[in-house]
Structures are given as C-alpha cells and as structure tokens.
Amino acid sequence: MIAMKSECILVIGANGQIGSVLVEYLKEIYGVQNVVASDLRMPDFPHGIFEKLDATDANALASIVRKYKVTQIYHLAAILSAKGEQEPLKTWQINMQTYFNVLEVARENGVSKIFYPSSIAVFGENVDEKAEQFSYLDPATVYGISKAAGENWSNYYFKRYGLDIRSLRYPGIIGYQSMPGGGTTDYAVDIYHKAVKGEDFECFLAENTRLPMIYISDAMDATVRLMEAPAEKISVRTSYNLAGMSFSPKEVAASILKIIPDFKITYKPDFRQQIAESWPGEIDDSKARKDWGWRPTYSLDKMTEEMISELRKKYQLVN
Ligand code: NAD
Ligand code: SER
C-alpha cells in the first residue's frame, strides 16, 4: 500500500473505460481532494472534483492546472483503434493535439509527472508473434500511428526538457465496472455482459484471433506501480510493453462455458478483424518486470470468475 502523498493529480478522459476506474483507484491512494477528474462532459453521477475540459483547448487545460496546482497528469483522452478508422484525420488531430497541449502546459507550469497510455496498436504486421520491447513499429491504424508518435514525443520531452513522462503499452483492458469506447478488443468485455444476461454473443473477430489482454485490476496496479517507481528504475522513456494474458474469442468462450454451460457464441468478423491481425498475439514485458517489478496476477479463468460474479451483482442476478 502506498502512503498518501501531497500530490494533485489531473486525469484527462476520466469518464472512459479506464478513467472511470482509475480515478477511484487514485482517490483511494492519494485522497479524494487530491484527484481532479476531467472530460468533455460531466458524468451522470459526479463524485469528488470534476472539471469539464476539452483537452484540445490548451488555455482551458492550463487554467485547470493552475487552479488546482496540479503536480501529475494522467492523459487518457484519445480516439481508439476501431472508431479512429472511421475518421482518420480527426483522430490524428485529437490524439496529437491533446497530447501536445499536455506536454506544453506541463512544461510551462511545473507539472512533475505525466502518464501516457500507449497500446499494442503501435505494432504492425512485421512484428513477431510475441512482440519484443524494442520491436520495429509499423502501425496499421491511425490510432496506432498516433500512439507511436506520442511515445517518441514522450522520449523527446524527457530528454530535451527533463519532463518525467512514464508510459505503458496497454493490451486490451477487461473490466466489469465500465464499457469500452471503440476499440478492437472491446468484444472481450461485451462477451461477459451478454453471457451473464443469458444472451447469445456474435463476435466481430474470428474464433482463433489471439490478442494480448489484461484484467483491469492488474492494469491499475501496473499504472500506479510505474508512476511510483524511483526515476532511476525507469530505463524506457518511450513506452513499456505490458502483458497480462493472451487469448482468442474461442478461448474466452471456453472459459465462460465452465461457469455458464449454455452460453452460445457465433463469429461474424468485420473490419476490426484486419486491425486485430496487424497486432501481435503476445507481448514480451520482461523489461517492465526487471525495471520496476511488474507481475500480473490474473489468469483467464480467474478473470472470468470475477467478471461473471461482479456482473451478476451489477445486473442483480443470482448465482
Ligand atoms: P475511452 O474511449 O473509454 O475513454 C476516452 C475518454 O476520453 C472518453 O471519456 C472521452 O470523452 C474522452 N475524450 C475524448 N476526447 C477528449 C478531449 N478532446 N478532451 C477531453 N476528453 C476527451 O478510452 P479508454 O479505453 O478509457 O482508454 C484510455 C486511454 O488508454 C486511451 O488513451 C487509450 O488509447 C488507452 N488504451 C486503452 C486500452 C483499452 O483496452 N481500453 C488499451 C490500450 C490503450
Ligand atoms: N484496446 C485498444 C483498442 O482496441 C487497444 O489500444 O483500440
């Protein structure tokens, strides 16, 4: 357990799949008064400090940073892989402009640390089935291109200005608390909701498409563990590979069937299949393990048990 710090943390993109869980996680560690959540719109049930913010507006971002004397920024706002392909140039503009604003506002206002989430989408078709930390990056989506560029800008701001930016290449994130927002790995959350509600599931990826994934609790632990690590332990200033588990739609369905034997899945691959095929099936995260002691704790079956149990509570269904 990490002791409470005199930090003020701004989370940008706080209403999303990760942000809505991360904000609560950070509040437990740093205190409710030390976490400022922000997003384009107010949440339905705001709790704690919330500021409406369009992060493409640098002045609006700067005034929030000054108002709260922000010391750390977690910059989550982005358009994800599948949604990004619908509007490539707008996705590039939003993903890059928001990040440039964060970098410049942080530099000019003495923000000491930044968290930048990157993604397995930085890898492309020339990567090995198990992506090494320093693989060649040839992303196939505008989202992946923006994340690879963001990683390089992180490294640049660290080297040129000494800005302490830390980053993880998240795999697909799976959690019961929130819904995903337009990615290629979204099926792996939707499938649990359908299974628990007793509905059949039509998967938009083919049955044997293996992708790296991680349970939300492990992702939260990795994020704060990285941010709390002593600076001298951080040897990668682009972004760390992060792995939890890898599975295909067929394998996650088999895991669900152990608890819900009448669950049915069918497959109807769409444009997201091509995106998934450009990503590696596995990630080598040995650098993160060596540098700052990262270890995942959830297997596929352990995650399935918790997802089903928590979603049954959410939908008020009996076991
Ligand atoms: P999400 O789509 O669920 O949430 C993104 C949030 O950003 C939304 O609430 C949206 O309203 C907000 N946003 C968009 N544009 C904004 C703007 N201009 N100003 C302020 N807020 C804005 O995404 P997520 O799944 O929570 O992902 C968070 C971050 O983690 C993203 O950068 C994403 O690329 C990265 N990531 C996510 C996954 C995953 O599986 N969820 C995997 C790899 C990386
Ligand atoms: N889960 C994300 C997506 O599918 C990966 O960054 O877009």
Side-chain angles (χ1 to χ4, degrees):
M1 188 63 197
I2 296 156
M4 261 183 27
K5 302 279 166 67
S6 57
E7 297 282 354
C8 180
I9 299 178
L10 173 63
V11 180
I12 302 172
N15 294 350
Q17 186 199 4
I18 299 175
S20 53
V21 182
L22 181 66
V23 164
E24 298 311 312
Y25 193 73
L26 292 173
K27 280 182 196 164
E28 276 179 28
I29 296 168
Y30 298 94
V32 176
Q33 290 313 308
N34 297 319
V35 180
V36 180
S38 70
D39 205 301
L40 293 171
R41 277 171 287 282
M42 290 292 287
D44 293 339
F45 305 103
H47 162 247
I49 308 169
F50 191 94
E51 291 278 349
K52 240 170 89 166
L53 170 70
D54 180 344
T56 59
D57 180 345
N59 292 329
L61 172 59
S63 72
I64 291 173
V65 165
R66 289 187 200 120
K67 177 175 171 187
Y68 293 97
K69 299 186 172 54
V70 167
T71 58
Q72 296 188 20
I73 299 177
Y74 285 64
H75 176 53
L76 306 180
I79 308 297
L80 274 68
S81 62
K83 206 167 157 196
E85 291 309 287
Q86 312 307 316
E87 285 184 290
L89 296 186
K90 186 175 166 202
T91 298
W92 173 259
Q93 200 270 331
I94 290 174
N95 291 4
M96 296 315 298
Q97 190 60 57
T98 57
Y99 194 37
F100 284 130
N101 289 346
V102 167
L103 292 171
E104 280 298 288
V105 167
R107 187 171 76 82
E108 286 166 0
N109 292 278
V111 173
S112 60
K113 264 189 211 170
I114 293 173
F115 177 73
Y116 178 71
S118 187
S119 162
I120 53 169
V122 296
F123 301 111
E125 60 183 14
N126 288 306
V127 77
D128 293 337
E129 178 56 14
K130 185 166 185 173
E132 303 296 328
Q133 174 65 51
F134 298 109
S135 301
Y136 179 69
L137 304 184
D138 57 349
T141 57
V142 68
Y143 169 71
I145 297 171
S146 72
K147 288 294 177 185
E151 288 187 4
N152 286 318
W153 278 106
S154 302
N155 194 34
Y156 179 88
Y157 268 71
F158 171 69
K159 287 197 166 137
R160 170 108 196 235
Y161 303 113
L163 205 52
D164 189 356
I165 307 167
R166 302 174 181 205
S167 175
L168 295 172
R169 290 176 179 151
Y170 284 137
I173 294 184
I174 299 162
Y176 59 86
Q177 300 95 326
S178 51
M179 294 306 285
T184 303
T185 58
D186 292 13
Y187 90 85
V189 177
D190 295 340
I191 193 170
Y192 286 105
H193 285 260
K194 287 281 193 310
V196 164
K197 289 192 280 183
E199 295 171 18
D200 296 348
F201 180 66
E202 185 180 271
C203 186
F204 59 72
L205 294 186
E207 59 182 342
N208 292 319
T209 313
R210 280 187 98 226
L211 288 174
M213 304 279 185
I214 193 168
Y215 191 50
I216 189 93
S217 311
D218 276 342
M220 295 299 97
D221 173 56
T223 306
V224 174
R225 194 177 283 268
L226 171 71
M227 290 297 275
E228 287 290 330
E232 63 274 15
K233 298 271 182 202
I234 311 296
S235 70
V236 177
R237 288 293 180 170
T238 47
S239 189
Y240 278 99
N241 277 8
L242 185 76
M245 59 191 92
S246 281
F247 58 76
S248 64
K250 193 175 168 182
E251 286 167 328
V252 65
S255 179
I256 291 171
L257 278 163
K258 290 179 193 168
I259 304 174
I260 305 175
D262 55 353
F263 174 62
K264 286 192 183 56
I265 181 166
T266 53
Y267 302 93
K268 194 176 176 194
D270 64 16
F271 73 99
R272 289 168 280 195
Q273 179 64 28
Q274 210 181 341
I275 298 177
E277 281 172 13
S278 74
W279 292 351
E282 274 185 65
I283 295 285
D284 176 0
D285 64 356
S286 47
K287 197 80 183 146
R289 288 171 183 251
K290 182 167 172 280
D291 281 5
W292 41 274
W294 157 244
R295 296 279 180 285
T297 59
Y298 279 80
S299 63
L300 173 55
D301 282 343
K302 186 175 169 195
M303 175 178 79
T304 297
E305 276 170 32
E306 195 161 308
M307 283 295 286
I308 291 176
S309 153
E310 291 297 332
L311 288 176
R312 279 177 169 159
K313 284 185 219 157
K314 195 170 192 158
Y315 290 118
Q316 298 183 321
L317 299 167
V318 281
N319 279 316

